[in-house]
Amino acid sequence: VSSYHRNRILVLDAETGKKLREFGGDELKRPVGMAVAPFGGEVLVSSHVTNEVLRYNASSGTHTGYFARGFGLWAPTGVAVGGDLSVWVATFADGVRRYGFWK
């Protein structure tokens, strides 16, 4: 679950809803959307203010880099991974972008 005003991602117990841990740091500004990779153990998180989609290790919560940034990506709000492994990013201003690769 994203915590927009705290700039954190919360990991909750699926049955109880109890917070297990949280991650995020100075690199994350106003997280909104996120998606879990179907393999590889990564979580993609939109950073609304910095115009980026960040990568995190799903197990440790460590920031491992950037999936998308720049090139007109403005205020990403949603992230989804399709069945063909395309990554879809919804933006505040210019609709939806499709990234047809997974690296």
Side-chain angles (χ1 to χ4, degrees):
V1 175
S2 62
S3 181
Y4 184 82
H5 291 290
R6 291 186 55 234
N7 300 317
R8 307 290 286 172
I9 300 299
L10 308 177
V11 179
L12 308 177
D13 182 281
E15 291 184 22
T16 66
K18 180 181 175 185
K19 183 175 85 171
L20 300 175
R21 62 188 171 89
E22 59 183 69
F23 60 88
D26 292 338
E27 74 284 349
L28 188 59
K29 302 291 185 216
R30 304 295 190 243
V32 181
M34 67 182 142
V36 178
F39 61 87
E42 285 192 312
V43 177
L44 302 177
V45 181
S46 64
S47 184
H48 187 90
V49 173
T50 61
N51 305 316
E52 300 164 329
V53 177
L54 290 74
R55 291 176 127 144
Y56 289 90
N57 178 287
S59 297
S60 68
T62 302
H63 176 235
T64 58
Y66 299 90
F67 180 80
R69 63 195 307 197
F71 303 107
L73 181 63
W74 188 69
T77 56
V79 181
V81 178
D84 63 353
L85 301 183
S86 293
V87 177
W88 299 84
V89 179
T91 67
F92 186 73
D94 60 358
V96 177
R97 292 173 178 245
R98 178 178 182 255
Y99 296 85
F101 60 90
W102 185 265
K103 295 185 189 184

